[in-house]
Amino acid sequence: MSKHARRWLLLLGLGELVLLAISMNVAMYLRYFRSADELAEFSRHMPERSLIFGVVLLLGLAALGQYQAHMRTSWFGLLARQAVGFVLGGFGLVVAYYIVPQAYVGRGVLSIALLLGFVAVTGFRAVFLRLVDVDVFKRRVLILGGGTRAAQIHNRMRRRSDRRGFTVVGFVPRPGEKIAVPAEQVWATDTPLHVLVQREQVDEIVVGVDDRRGGLPIEDLLECRQLGIDVTDMTTFFEREAGRLQLSFTDPSWFVFSGGFNATPVRLLSKRCFDVSVAVLVLLLTWPLMLLVVLAICIESGAGQPILYRQERVGARGRTFHLIKFRSMCTDAELDGVARWASKDDDRVTRVGRFIRKVRLDELPQLWNVLKGEMSFIGPRPERPQFVADLARKIRYYDLRHCLKPGLAGWAQLRFPYGASEEDAAEKLKYDLYYVKNQNLLFDVMILIQTVEVVLFRRGAR
């Protein structure tokens, strides 16, 4: 995510926090304006109550992915997620009032504040998202190059949501390059680069030449750096703006010399503590649902039929383990021993299985895999050995995803729909490797709360 995008999201969050705090104050006045004594009594702790109200609702909105820089959805989808975020926030406030009784505001004030807050946030978000699409608020990017590599930005980042944080002001091809970008965006090469970026108020130069050996204007680029212009290579630019790695032009040396791949003892310890804590918490919250799933499977399949399904998967460093799930397919789904991708409307799935797959209840037994240390809560999804052996031969860098423990939830699941083919696996790998390279505790927490959206809106399940 670019610095500009982070600033926008911070401004959006602060603006909505202020509006939510104001909504609480207005709700208090509307509820007690007829009683001066009650109004004075209630007003004494309004700053604290307003802050709690705003922060808890912001967490509810964040859990529904409302503060992502790259959200491809309709206005109806955004509004629906906002509504669910307010519902989650409302439940969170009830819990907060139970823990801190002094913060309690009363059902009348809370209802009015939620209604006013929803209207205020909706209006502010509509105006804000319209403003951030104006080019003047975006990072002005100049692409050095006009060939095949440079054309990747034009071809693969064409949507407005892809370019929410930047605007391409033009392409400057190198001598001898075969032009593959739109002619109207190509700039003449006779003007020195440092003069061009000052004239066009460029914020960043992205190096996307097809052949960098002797093809870079090093002196000009150094001059631009001294002027405060950022110079970024194409791979890093894609990683930052799209949240994935563009493997088609990633050189192996880039993985070696780039930042990330944090596997320090502190990181490993923090991740293990995070995994165990979240797994125990989810287990405590969902055990009644797990009992209902067991009962439903028994009723549909009859006594004596297996409840759980154990399947071999590939874990960290290529070691295999047995993943545990609630059985969602017929017991004879793979009698011939041949591994198959799950397809849409797969006839091997039972009626109960179809439901528990949609709401992800079939995944809950994997909490045991997490507690045993075979899986993490967040990470690339584990695949079957047969698929891994085939994909590793066909897809470059596929084995890199196994440098971490596989996860119950992950970045690729948030950003890409269910994958059931080699092409999908290649596309999901871009997001898996982005996570492998950039994983940290804060990133894990963000993925965890946004996974709530995947479960509630049933995206990506089969």
Side-chain angles (χ1 to χ4, degrees), residues 294-308 327 331:
V294 170
L295 181 61
I297 294 174
C298 287
I299 292 175
E300 181 180 35
S301 300
Q305 294 297 312
I307 303 298
L308 298 175
R327 183 174 60 83
T331 54

Side-chain angles (χ1 to χ4, degrees), residues 357-372:
R357 278 172 169 248
K358 286 292 185 183
V359 295
R360 303 301 177 97
L361 292 177
D362 64 318
E363 310 275 1
L364 290 177
Q366 293 171 49
L367 295 171
W368 177 243
N369 294 115
V370 175
L371 292 173
K372 286 176 65 179

Side-chain angles (χ1 to χ4, degrees), residues 72-288:
R72 298 188 183 101
T73 187
S74 63
W75 267 106
F76 178 80
L78 285 173
L79 200 61
R81 288 180 174 84
Q82 181 179 313
V84 177
F86 265 73
V87 171
L88 288 177
F91 282 117
L93 286 168
V94 172
V95 174
Y97 295 151
Y98 178 79
I99 297 174
V100 186
Q102 296 83 354
Y104 183 66
V105 297
R107 288 174 296 178
V109 174
L110 180 60
S111 300
I112 297 172
L114 286 172
L115 179 61
L116 292 176
F118 186 85
V119 174
V121 168
T122 300
F124 178 72
R125 188 172 285 261
V127 173
F128 183 88
L129 293 181
R130 183 173 294 274
L131 285 177
V132 298
D133 279 335
V134 179
D135 285 348
V136 70
F137 293 106
K138 296 182 179 181
R139 191 173 183 83
R140 293 176 62 81
V141 173
L142 171 67
I143 312 300
L144 181 61
T148 304
R149 286 172 63 89
Q152 295 279 346
I153 291 181
H154 176 74
N155 297 332
R156 296 183 179 272
M157 302 185 75
R158 305 182 68 167
R159 302 178 195 174
R160 188 170 60 180
S161 57
D162 290 329
R163 301 192 180 195
R164 191 175 295 278
F166 71 95
T167 182
V168 176
V169 296
F171 296 83
V172 178
R174 299 302 298 151
E177 263 190 331
K178 184 178 179 181
I179 305 300
V181 298
E184 62 273 13
Q185 290 189 280
V186 175
W187 288 358
T189 58
D190 52 353
T191 304
L193 194 60
H194 65 275
V195 174
L196 199 58
V197 296
Q198 290 184 87
R199 187 184 71 198
E200 300 295 333
Q201 299 181 341
V202 170
D203 299 306
E204 181 178 16
I205 299 172
V206 176
V207 179
V209 298
D210 287 339
D211 186 4
R212 297 174 64 167
R213 293 171 298 182
L216 292 182
I218 298 298
E219 296 297 329
D220 260 347
L221 289 175
L222 284 174
E223 187 75 27
C224 292
R225 291 290 290 127
Q226 294 176 60
L227 293 171
I229 308 299
D230 292 332
V231 178
T232 309
D233 67 271
M234 182 76 77
T235 306
T236 303
F237 179 77
F238 257 100
E239 177 188 1
R240 186 189 72 203
E241 296 296 335
R244 67 179 188 269
L245 301 188
Q246 196 63 22
L247 300 178
S248 57
F249 51 72
T250 299
D251 186 88
S253 62
W254 181 83
F255 286 109
V256 176
F257 295 109
S258 65
F261 300 103
N262 184 7
T264 63
V266 173
R267 167 57 184 157
L268 296 176
L269 177 62
S270 66
K271 188 170 182 63
R272 182 59 182 157
C273 292
F274 174 83
D275 291 339
V276 173
S277 301
V278 176
V280 170
L281 177 61
V282 174
L283 187 60
L284 292 175
L285 293 175
T286 60
W287 69 265

